[in-house]
Amino acid sequence: MPGGVDLHAHTTASDGALAPRELVRLAARHGVRVLAVTDHDSTEGLPEALQEATAHGIEIVPGLEINCDVPGSEIHVLGYYVDWRAEWFQDFLRDQRTERAARVHRIVERLTELGLPLTAEEVFAICKEGSPGRPHVAQAMVKRGYVKSVREAFDRWLHASGPANVPRRRLTPVEAVAVIRRAGGVPVFAHPGLADRDAIIPELVEAGLAGIETFYPEHSAAQIQAYRETCRRLGLVATGGSDYHGPHTGRATTVGSPHVPLEVWENLKRKAHELKPTHEPANRARESDKHPRGPRESDPPPPITGHPRP
């Protein structure tokens, strides 16, 4: 049954189908009371999501997702409760998005060489102000009639070893964990069951990994149980979410599904409190003036006092 807690969702600030305000409204309709906005290399959707959340009594967990390369695969790292207003952190995200845009140019050049002419302008028209990436290329391919769906575009052309895929300069998972920790956040290994790289978990824990995304639509019951046990054994927080992007992906995901217990969010807040630096960044006051805190933004430092309002 959808509802409750969803700690992984995307908006048009990266590659989601819905604007932040629309995502919050959808979450409210599905009974979600705690929602993490975790766009790729972007926190641009947070202000709008926070504003809309006030009308629905939803707690917004500020987050993001960073794509990382490992030999023969790709690993994603989620970051929760980062100090997203920090100037250095926004500079880092802008650099990430600049490289994403450069990669789009390289991919469309490769597609053109393969007999599927496409321009970067077509891709950016779909992306608009979001964080550009392969999902937007895939949508442009659908519009051109080269493929019937985003899923087909990835399966045939854009997957990690696909003929049109061009790697971009990315952080290693260890580097991503370090960036999130520097920003005072909780780094979490995203959907590990898709990466098949569980052997890297001890290395990431040593680097500062604090959680594993356990409750996930494409994780089997056995995987969920295994990751819960790993989290218990290593002292990590087990998180979860829908990874909702929208119907254009071809994935049968719904905001608020799978069910994530409320205690998962409480444990995440507790972990964020444990990891929070004991001092505030020197430029925090200036950054807070630029990005005033939303009234429904879930803030980790104070002790947990109760559940979100029904």
mmCIF file of all heavy atoms in Angstrom, residues 151 193-194 216-220 223 243 251 253 258:
data_model
loop_
_atom_site.group_PDB
_atom_site.id
_atom_site.type_symbol
_atom_site.label_atom_id
_atom_site.label_comp_id
_atom_site.label_asym_id
_atom_site.label_seq_id
_atom_site.Cartn_x
_atom_site.Cartn_y
_atom_site.Cartn_z
ATOM 1 N N ARG A 151 12.887 2.941 -22.124
ATOM 2 C CA ARG A 151 13.491 1.653 -21.772
ATOM 3 C C ARG A 151 14.214 1.045 -22.966
ATOM 4 O O ARG A 151 15.335 0.533 -22.845
ATOM 5 C CB ARG A 151 12.404 0.701 -21.265
ATOM 6 C CG ARG A 151 12.855 -0.718 -21.020
ATOM 7 C CD ARG A 151 13.726 -0.856 -19.809
ATOM 8 N NE ARG A 151 12.971 -0.676 -18.582
ATOM 9 C CZ ARG A 151 13.492 -0.818 -17.363
ATOM 10 N NH1 ARG A 151 14.758 -1.118 -17.221
ATOM 11 N NH2 ARG A 151 12.754 -0.635 -16.297
ATOM 12 N N GLY A 193 21.109 -3.478 -5.192
ATOM 13 C CA GLY A 193 20.735 -4.692 -5.900
ATOM 14 C C GLY A 193 20.818 -4.563 -7.406
ATOM 15 O O GLY A 193 20.921 -5.566 -8.118
ATOM 16 N N LEU A 194 20.786 -3.321 -7.926
ATOM 17 C CA LEU A 194 20.889 -3.105 -9.365
ATOM 18 C C LEU A 194 22.339 -3.085 -9.826
ATOM 19 O O LEU A 194 22.626 -3.355 -10.997
ATOM 20 C CB LEU A 194 20.222 -1.773 -9.761
ATOM 21 C CG LEU A 194 18.758 -1.579 -9.381
ATOM 22 C CD1 LEU A 194 18.235 -0.281 -9.976
ATOM 23 C CD2 LEU A 194 17.916 -2.767 -9.842
ATOM 24 N N TYR A 216 13.354 -1.088 -1.863
ATOM 25 C CA TYR A 216 13.440 -0.548 -3.224
ATOM 26 C C TYR A 216 12.570 -1.393 -4.142
ATOM 27 O O TYR A 216 12.490 -2.624 -3.988
ATOM 28 C CB TYR A 216 14.902 -0.573 -3.690
ATOM 29 C CG TYR A 216 15.137 0.137 -5.000
ATOM 30 C CD1 TYR A 216 15.147 1.521 -5.066
ATOM 31 C CD2 TYR A 216 15.335 -0.579 -6.183
ATOM 32 C CE1 TYR A 216 15.358 2.183 -6.267
ATOM 33 C CE2 TYR A 216 15.543 0.072 -7.387
ATOM 34 C CZ TYR A 216 15.555 1.455 -7.427
ATOM 35 O OH TYR A 216 15.751 2.102 -8.625
ATOM 36 N N PRO A 217 11.891 -0.780 -5.129
ATOM 37 C CA PRO A 217 10.940 -1.526 -5.959
ATOM 38 C C PRO A 217 11.513 -2.760 -6.643
ATOM 39 O O PRO A 217 10.806 -3.750 -6.826
ATOM 40 C CB PRO A 217 10.492 -0.477 -6.992
ATOM 41 C CG PRO A 217 10.696 0.828 -6.331
ATOM 42 C CD PRO A 217 11.911 0.663 -5.468
ATOM 43 N N GLU A 218 12.783 -2.690 -7.034
ATOM 44 C CA GLU A 218 13.364 -3.798 -7.786
ATOM 45 C C GLU A 218 14.250 -4.697 -6.935
ATOM 46 O O GLU A 218 14.982 -5.539 -7.468
ATOM 47 C CB GLU A 218 14.125 -3.247 -8.991
ATOM 48 C CG GLU A 218 13.212 -2.546 -9.988
ATOM 49 C CD GLU A 218 13.964 -1.966 -11.175
ATOM 50 O OE1 GLU A 218 14.807 -2.667 -11.745
ATOM 51 O OE2 GLU A 218 13.685 -0.801 -11.541
ATOM 52 N N HIS A 219 14.185 -4.544 -5.625
ATOM 53 C CA HIS A 219 14.860 -5.475 -4.733
ATOM 54 C C HIS A 219 13.922 -6.624 -4.390
ATOM 55 O O HIS A 219 12.742 -6.405 -4.079
ATOM 56 C CB HIS A 219 15.288 -4.780 -3.439
ATOM 57 C CG HIS A 219 16.523 -3.952 -3.559
ATOM 58 N ND1 HIS A 219 17.030 -3.211 -2.524
ATOM 59 C CD2 HIS A 219 17.369 -3.763 -4.599
ATOM 60 C CE1 HIS A 219 18.125 -2.588 -2.909
ATOM 61 N NE2 HIS A 219 18.345 -2.904 -4.180
ATOM 62 N N SER A 220 14.438 -7.836 -4.423
ATOM 63 C CA SER A 220 13.639 -8.991 -4.018
ATOM 64 C C SER A 220 13.522 -9.027 -2.499
ATOM 65 O O SER A 220 14.252 -8.331 -1.778
ATOM 66 C CB SER A 220 14.304 -10.281 -4.505
ATOM 67 O OG SER A 220 15.540 -10.489 -3.826
ATOM 68 N N GLN A 223 16.794 -9.922 -1.057
ATOM 69 C CA GLN A 223 17.750 -8.811 -1.041
ATOM 70 C C GLN A 223 17.442 -7.834 0.087
ATOM 71 O O GLN A 223 18.346 -7.362 0.774
ATOM 72 C CB GLN A 223 17.728 -8.087 -2.394
ATOM 73 C CG GLN A 223 18.411 -8.843 -3.521
ATOM 74 C CD GLN A 223 18.268 -8.122 -4.843
ATOM 75 O OE1 GLN A 223 17.179 -7.650 -5.198
ATOM 76 N NE2 GLN A 223 19.363 -8.029 -5.590
ATOM 77 N N ASP A 243 12.215 5.759 -5.961
ATOM 78 C CA ASP A 243 13.034 6.192 -7.099
ATOM 79 C C ASP A 243 12.116 6.664 -8.231
ATOM 80 O O ASP A 243 12.354 6.388 -9.406
ATOM 81 C CB ASP A 243 13.940 5.065 -7.586
ATOM 82 C CG ASP A 243 15.080 5.555 -8.478
ATOM 83 O OD1 ASP A 243 15.232 6.783 -8.624
ATOM 84 O OD2 ASP A 243 15.806 4.711 -9.031
ATOM 85 N N ARG A 251 9.091 2.303 -16.083
ATOM 86 C CA ARG A 251 9.172 1.528 -14.851
ATOM 87 C C ARG A 251 7.867 1.693 -14.079
ATOM 88 O O ARG A 251 7.336 2.791 -13.947
ATOM 89 C CB ARG A 251 10.344 1.990 -13.986
ATOM 90 C CG ARG A 251 11.685 1.825 -14.642
ATOM 91 C CD ARG A 251 12.804 2.469 -13.834
ATOM 92 N NE ARG A 251 12.968 1.827 -12.542
ATOM 93 C CZ ARG A 251 12.873 2.460 -11.378
ATOM 94 N NH1 ARG A 251 12.570 3.747 -11.340
ATOM 95 N NH2 ARG A 251 13.075 1.815 -10.256
ATOM 96 N N THR A 253 6.749 2.270 -11.179
ATOM 97 C CA THR A 253 6.959 2.766 -9.826
ATOM 98 C C THR A 253 5.915 3.813 -9.480
ATOM 99 O O THR A 253 5.424 4.532 -10.353
ATOM 100 C CB THR A 253 8.358 3.390 -9.667
ATOM 101 O OG1 THR A 253 8.522 4.436 -10.632
ATOM 102 C CG2 THR A 253 9.440 2.346 -9.877
ATOM 103 N N PRO A 258 7.833 1.038 -2.705
ATOM 104 C CA PRO A 258 7.276 0.136 -1.698
ATOM 105 C C PRO A 258 7.064 0.823 -0.354
ATOM 106 O O PRO A 258 7.543 1.935 -0.126
ATOM 107 C CB PRO A 258 8.352 -0.946 -1.582
ATOM 108 C CG PRO A 258 9.630 -0.220 -1.866
ATOM 109 C CD PRO A 258 9.273 0.769 -2.956
#
